Amino acid sequence: MMARWVAETAEPIDVEAALARVTARRRAEAMPPVDDLAARRATRAREAVRPLPLWQRTPFRVAAALLVVAGAAALWRSTAAPKAEEAYVTATGASKAITLADGTRVRLGPASELRLEPGFGTTHRRLTLHGEGWFEVTHDEAKPFAIHVGTTTVEDVGTAFLVRESASSGVTVRVTEGVVRLTNSALRDSSVTLRAGDGAVATTAGIAVSAGTVSASEGSALKEGRLTFSDASLSEVQESLHRWYGVTLVLADSALVSRHVTADFTGEPLDRVATVLGLTLGARAISHGDTIVLQGAAGAPSRP
């Protein structure tokens, strides 16, 4: 009876489906757990594909670093020690036209030297001259233009002038335009003011002023770099001829020492210079190579 009831009431069993379900369940149970480290690596890989912000990119960082280095170098250069002195030098017989940073124009005479102190044109306008130079100064009240020649200082008040140094006769200044202040620190800072047409000679004994002795033509000659003398002592002539021509002027007659010369030389040969000097002084000039000998003549005027 039991066998008959089971046969009549039980549903048929699908063996293959049951086996498939069992197999699937076992496979699921056999799978390992998710690897968290691998998952994180995969996430980072996906994020690496995304473009970085500009400031995070390597080329940008390199360029920024270079800019920082360049800026630091520029700052170091600007704050480093001041520039060395700027100097201009001429050889015997050669003059040089110079335009300074402040716009001042200079004609530096032969065998001369002009030195600009560090900071010229920015914090001050101070320079030192040895020899001779013609200056056309751009005026600036905030930065006075001051030329130091030994113990003498020539200060511009907006002008054009000559400064000539002589070891034997001091510092000569010839003003053709404007006003110049001349100071001699060797004499407790004695000072004089020169105006257009005035000349002066500063020595350890004082400052001698010759008012109205400088002509406009003399100024033109000096500007063009010509050698000019206006009532110049022979000691001044001797030094200038040595700078301009490299010659030695010898005075064979002591009576000539007190004589003065007014002359304008524009590149004349040495023989011509000797002849002009002889005629100007009423003396006989003899040239011997790089030497000119002046011999006195009876009745020659003491000041031509």
Side-chain angles (χ1 to χ4, degrees):
M1 291 177 64
M2 181 63 70
R4 189 170 58 248
W5 177 80
V6 171
E8 292 176 351
T9 58
E11 295 180 357
I13 298 175
D14 189 344
V15 177
E16 293 182 359
L19 181 60
R21 287 195 297 272
V22 172
T23 302
R25 185 169 58 250
R26 288 181 175 178
R27 287 179 177 175
E29 291 175 353
M31 289 180 64
V34 177
D35 188 348
D36 291 339
L37 180 59
R40 288 196 297 271
R41 289 176 178 172
T43 300
R44 284 199 297 269
R46 287 194 299 271
E47 290 177 350
V49 176
R50 300 174 189 171
L52 290 173
L54 179 62
W55 62 272
Q56 288 185 342
R57 298 179 188 177
T58 300
F60 181 84
R61 291 179 176 178
V62 172
L66 290 176
L67 285 175
V68 171
V69 172
L75 179 63
W76 179 84
R77 286 194 297 269
S78 64
T79 58
K83 294 181 180 179
E85 280 187 329
E86 186 176 358
Y88 301 91
V89 180
T90 53
T92 299
S95 65
K96 178 184 292 186
I98 305 166
T99 300
L100 303 180
D102 67 333
T104 295
R105 289 182 291 180
V106 182
R107 169 69 71 170
L108 188 61
S112 300
E113 180 181 37
L114 187 67
R115 287 191 173 274
L116 282 59
E117 295 183 16
F120 179 91
T122 55
T123 59
H124 66 83
R125 294 196 299 168
R126 297 189 301 272
L127 42 79
T128 301
L129 172 69
H130 294 292
E132 66 179 79
W134 166 257
F135 299 84
E136 290 182 278
V137 179
T138 300
H139 187 57
D140 184 350
E141 291 185 1
K143 299 184 185 71
F145 190 93
I147 306 169
H148 300 290
V149 192
T151 60
T152 301
T153 300
V154 184
E155 188 174 347
D156 148 71
V157 191
T159 187
F161 54 93
L162 166 81
V163 180
R164 178 180 288 154
E165 179 188 36
S166 171
S168 58
S169 56
V171 177
T172 298
V173 178
R174 313 282 292 174
V175 182
T176 60
E177 296 178 17
V179 182
V180 163
R181 185 178 298 108
L182 183 60
T183 303
N184 191 341
S185 60
L187 299 173
R188 295 184 180 179
D189 293 332
S190 61
S191 179
V192 298
T193 297
L194 305 178
R195 303 187 181 278
D198 293 345
V201 177
T203 65
T204 55
I207 301 175
V209 177
S210 301
T213 59
V214 182
S215 64
S217 59
E218 180 181 350
S220 298
L222 294 170
K223 182 178 180 179
E224 294 169 5
R226 303 204 308 264
L227 176 59
T228 64
F229 298 111
S230 179
D231 198 34
S233 66
L234 274 182
S235 60
E236 183 179 347
V237 173
Q238 284 176 310
E239 293 188 28
S240 293
L241 286 179
H242 191 269
R243 284 198 297 266
W244 283 77
Y245 289 92
V247 299
T248 300
L249 181 63
V250 178
L251 305 180
D253 187 342
S254 59
L256 296 172
V257 174
S258 61
R259 305 281 177 85
H260 287 68
V261 174
T262 296
D264 183 356
F265 299 106
T266 311
E268 283 88 348
L270 188 57
D271 288 345
R272 174 62 179 166
V273 172
T275 300
V276 171
L277 285 176
L279 292 173
T280 301
L281 296 169
R284 189 160 65 99
I286 303 173
S287 297
H288 297 286
D290 59 357
T291 303
I292 297 176
V293 179
L294 289 179
Q295 298 178 341
S302 61
R303 273 192 172 220

